[in-house]
């Protein structure tokens, strides 16, 4: 009996660690998916999945506005032909009467055409939505949904597509906000390290020494203020030893001063204490917008985009305003099955939006830290002035 029990016990112990390992693997997988690297793949994968979903739901379905536009065009072409035949058959055709009759019909046609344009007609005869709901178009639509840009050039017209858009946005928008928070924080820390080690030359001994001296003077002022306050409150209990300590604090040759220099030298290499100027952040944003504007201006040259129009499009897109008056056209969407997937311009447009919004979040984070630091410094200066008075 003892041998049988000794044989069964290892089997029970073997099953429990296996379940624990599965739980640990699942926890590690979830933690990785919501980490800095995993969140990028999660957003890209979610956008690709959304493009296939919307492409399945909307592509091949008849678009009502295009059907109405084609019917409206054929109707008024027939009306003009009938009007011309009636005027030519009943009376002698005069130019003045013909122009007046045709002008009335053209005004009606213009009003109908403007209404159809407001409803989403883009001037093409793509009744089935093959062009607008290609892989590139569906991917860009999915990206604009979760980024809350919403150009409005294409939208789901079927009931299933509208319901899918609601569910897709409810899940996708918090996911993209998490992406902006994590990636913006990582980019901010990375840029702080680059700015501290390259732009500020933190490894140069001369610069570090001057900063240590400035920090030492600040520490001396703070110790002097604390010593004076303690002396005014407890003037009767102050002795010669306390006076000597205060003098050592105020003297540059004292041990406290040297310790302050050493402490600041260690702190000077702490990247978290570095603040990036607001002008540098503004230069980064302006440079990124101008760089994208140059490329979009070249790609949309046939559409009449100027550099100002392209800059305006980049700013409106990165700020998630998304008016929709300027939207990348046919060269972004591509033509053909292979070109739709491998279109480099389309890939760059999507990457430009994702990287640009993370860059804007990084700049806002750095600017916020700089403003808070300036406010704290101003408050300390004001307090010091009032104490001196």
């Amino acid at each position: 009996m003892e041998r049988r029990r000794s044989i069964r016990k290892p089997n029970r112990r073997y099953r429990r660690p296996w379940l624990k390992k599965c739980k640990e693997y699942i926890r590690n997988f979830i933690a990785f998916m919501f980490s800095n690297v995993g969140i990028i793949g999660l957003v890209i994968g979610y956008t690709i999945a959304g493009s296939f979903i919307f492409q399945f739901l909307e592509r091949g379905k008849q678009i009502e506005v295009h059907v109405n536009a084609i019917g409206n065009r054929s109707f008024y072409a027939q009306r003009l032909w009938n009007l011309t035949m009636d005027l030519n058959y009943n009376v002698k055709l005069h130019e003045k009467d013909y122009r007046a009759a045709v002008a009335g019909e053209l005004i009606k046609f213009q009003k109908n055409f403007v209404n159809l344009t407001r409803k989403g007609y883009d001037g093409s005869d793509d009744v089935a939505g093959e062009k607008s709901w290609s892989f590139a178009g569906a991917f860009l639509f999915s990206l604009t949904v979760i980024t809350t840009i919403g150009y409005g050039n294409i939208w789901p017209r079927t009931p299933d597509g509208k319901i899918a858009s609601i569910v897709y946005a409810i899940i996708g928008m918090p996911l993209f906000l998490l992406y902006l928070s994590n990636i913006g924080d990582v980019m901010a820390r990375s840029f702080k390290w680059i700015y501290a080690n390259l732009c500020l030359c933190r490894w140069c001994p001369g610069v570090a020494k001057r900063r240590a001296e400035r920090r030492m003077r600040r520490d001396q002022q703070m110790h002097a203020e604390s010593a004076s306050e303690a002396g005014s409150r407890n003037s009767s209990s102050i002795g010669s030893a306390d006076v000597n300590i205060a003098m050592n604090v105020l003297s540059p040759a004292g041990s406290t001063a040297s310790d302050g220099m050493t402490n600041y030298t260690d702190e000077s290499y702490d990247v978290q204490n570095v603040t990036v100027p607001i002008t540098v952040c503004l230069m980064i944003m302006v440079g990124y917008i101008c760089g994208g504007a140059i490329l979009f201006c070249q790609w949309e040259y046939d559409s009449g985009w100027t550099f100002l129009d392209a800059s305006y499009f980049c700013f409106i897109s990165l700020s998630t305003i998304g008016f929709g008056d300027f939207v990348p056209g046919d060269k972004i969407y591509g033509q053909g099955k292979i070109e739709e997937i491998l279109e480099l311009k389309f890939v760059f447009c999507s990457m430009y939006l994702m990287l640009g919004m993370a860059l804007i979040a990084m700049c806002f984070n750095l600017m916020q830290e700089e403003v808070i630091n300036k406010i704290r410094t101003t408050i300390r200066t004001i307090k010091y002035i009032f104490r001196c008075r």
Side-chain angles (χ1 to χ4, degrees):
M1 294 298 291
E2 293 179 355
R3 293 181 180 177
R4 291 180 181 177
R5 290 179 182 177
S6 62
I7 294 173
R8 292 178 181 178
K9 285 182 179 179
N11 292 332
R12 293 180 181 178
R13 293 178 181 175
Y14 177 75
R15 292 179 182 178
R16 292 178 182 176
W18 184 78
L19 294 175
K20 291 182 180 179
K21 287 181 180 180
C22 291
K23 292 181 181 179
E24 291 179 357
Y25 290 151
I26 293 173
R27 290 176 183 175
N28 294 332
F29 177 75
I30 294 173
F32 173 76
M33 290 303 295
F34 287 95
S35 63
N36 297 327
V37 179
I39 196 67
I40 298 175
L42 194 61
V43 170
I44 295 175
Y46 188 76
T47 309
I48 293 174
S51 63
F52 283 115
I53 291 173
F54 288 113
Q55 193 176 13
F56 173 76
L57 294 175
E58 296 293 331
R59 192 173 185 178
K61 306 296 190 298
Q62 281 193 347
I63 300 178
E64 184 179 358
V65 65
H66 287 76
V67 176
N68 294 335
I70 295 172
N72 186 58
R73 185 175 58 199
S74 302
F75 174 76
Y76 278 97
Q78 187 66 33
R79 286 289 298 273
L80 291 176
W81 172 254
N82 294 334
L83 181 63
T84 303
M85 294 300 296
D86 291 339
L87 291 176
N88 192 21
Y89 178 76
N90 295 329
V91 294
K92 187 176 180 180
L93 186 62
H94 296 283
E95 182 179 359
K96 184 177 180 181
D97 297 336
Y98 181 77
R99 286 179 176 273
V102 170
E105 298 296 329
L106 290 178
I107 290 174
K108 294 179 182 179
F109 174 76
Q110 288 176 358
K111 291 181 179 179
N112 292 330
F113 182 78
V114 170
N115 291 330
L116 292 172
T117 304
R118 290 175 178 174
K119 294 179 181 179
Y121 179 63
D122 56 356
S124 65
D125 294 338
D126 187 17
V127 179
E130 297 291 333
K131 180 180 177 182
S132 57
W133 289 107
S134 61
F135 178 79
F139 187 91
L140 194 60
F141 168 77
S142 302
L143 187 63
T144 55
V145 169
I146 63 175
T147 57
T148 67
I149 296 175
Y151 290 126
N153 57 330
I154 56 175
W155 62 88
R157 292 177 172 85
T158 61
D160 295 337
K162 293 177 181 179
I163 295 173
S165 299
I166 295 173
V167 177
Y168 185 79
I170 290 174
I171 301 174
M173 287 190 294
L175 182 64
F176 193 78
L177 290 177
L178 183 63
Y179 160 80
L180 290 180
S181 178
N182 290 357
I183 303 305
D185 190 20
V186 172
M187 293 177 66
R189 291 199 300 266
S190 302
F191 187 77
K192 275 185 178 181
W193 186 88
I194 295 173
Y195 180 78
N197 294 322
L198 297 181
C199 298
L200 296 181
C201 192
R202 299 175 68 89
W203 291 340
C204 298
V207 178
K209 184 178 179 180
R210 287 193 297 270
R211 288 181 186 162
E213 292 176 354
R214 288 196 295 267
R215 181 58 183 271
M216 182 183 63
R217 292 171 185 173
R218 294 177 185 174
D219 293 339
Q220 290 175 1
Q221 292 178 358
M222 293 176 64
H223 285 295
E225 291 175 4
S226 61
S228 61
E229 289 179 357
S232 61
R233 292 177 182 176
N234 302 319
S235 58
S236 60
S237 61
I238 257 185
S240 60
D242 296 331
V243 175
N244 293 329
I245 292 173
M247 293 300 294
N248 289 330
V249 170
L250 294 173
S251 63
S255 60
T256 309
S258 62
D259 293 337
M261 182 182 294
T262 306
N263 292 333
Y264 178 71
T265 305
D266 295 335
E267 290 181 358
S268 64
Y269 292 100
D270 189 5
V271 180
Q272 299 300 325
N273 294 330
V274 176
T275 57
V276 181
I278 298 177
T279 54
V280 176
C281 299
L282 293 176
M283 290 174 60
I284 293 172
M285 291 190 290
V286 172
Y288 191 81
I289 291 174
C290 292
I294 293 173
L295 293 177
F296 281 109
C297 183
Q298 295 293 328
W299 293 343
E300 298 295 331
Y301 179 79
D302 297 336
S303 300
W305 284 30
T306 61
F307 180 78
L308 179 60
D309 296 335
S311 301
Y312 168 78
F313 163 76
C314 294
F315 176 78
I316 293 299
S317 299
L318 296 177
S319 60
T320 68
I321 297 175
F323 288 129
D325 47 355
F326 288 95
V327 180
D330 296 336
K331 291 187 177 181
I332 295 296
Y333 293 121
Q335 297 175 356
K337 295 182 179 180
I338 299 177
E339 294 181 358
E340 288 175 2
I341 300 175
L342 300 178
E343 183 63 42
L344 294 178
K345 296 176 182 178
F346 149 72
V347 174
F348 177 81
C349 180
S350 302
M351 294 297 296
Y352 180 82
L353 293 177
M354 292 185 64
L355 180 60
M357 295 182 70
L359 188 67
I360 296 296
M362 178 200 77
C363 292
F364 282 153
N365 190 5
L366 296 175
M367 292 169 68
Q368 181 181 2
E369 292 181 358
E370 176 67 12
V371 170
I372 292 173
N373 187 25
K374 293 291 184 182
I375 292 173
R376 289 177 179 175
T377 304
T378 304
I379 292 173
R380 289 175 183 174
T381 305
I382 293 173
K383 288 181 178 180
Y384 178 74
I385 292 173
F386 280 106
R387 288 177 180 176
C388 292
R389 290 182 180 179

